[in-house]
Amino acid sequence: MTWAPDHHLAEITVHPLIGREVAHLATGRKGTVGLVLEHRSKIGNRLIRTVAHMRPLDASGREWTAEVEELQPIRPIAPDMPAGYR
């Protein structure tokens, strides 16, 4: 996707995949999600796409981005625990 002046990026600070180990099924790569960004139109603030930035779990050092929908958590995401539960 090429950059267009009618788009802006919004960092998503609360997302269930941030900090999680994921597999990118299209490439077979595995990594930890460090950042999630939304591409939004400036007119109407319409969501265009949501991408995640991953750090690799292997020693390659090659970070990459992928559509959030293409990622699968390596371990299932547990439901939120009730407040005060331990």
Side-chain angles (χ1 to χ4, degrees):
M1 176 178 206
T2 59
W3 179 254
D6 60 343
H7 296 113
H8 69 274
L9 296 175
E11 181 179 353
I12 305 305
T13 57
V14 178
H15 190 280
L17 291 180
I18 294 176
R20 305 278 314 191
E21 293 179 354
V22 296
H24 184 212
L25 302 178
T27 62
R29 297 188 70 195
K30 295 179 181 177
T32 303
V33 176
L35 178 70
V36 175
L37 295 172
E38 287 183 344
H39 291 248
R40 293 196 166 266
S41 66
K42 288 185 178 177
I43 299 172
N45 202 36
R46 181 179 58 88
L47 179 64
I48 298 167
R49 64 192 288 218
T50 305
V51 296
H53 179 86
M54 275 79 57
R55 294 180 303 274
L57 291 178
D58 61 19
S60 71
R62 290 181 26 226
E63 298 181 354
W64 80 104
T65 60
E67 300 285 337
V68 169
E69 296 80 22
E70 296 175 356
L71 302 175
Q72 178 178 341
I74 292 175
R75 291 178 196 82
I77 296 176
D80 291 335
M81 290 189 171
Y85 180 81
R86 288 199 181 237

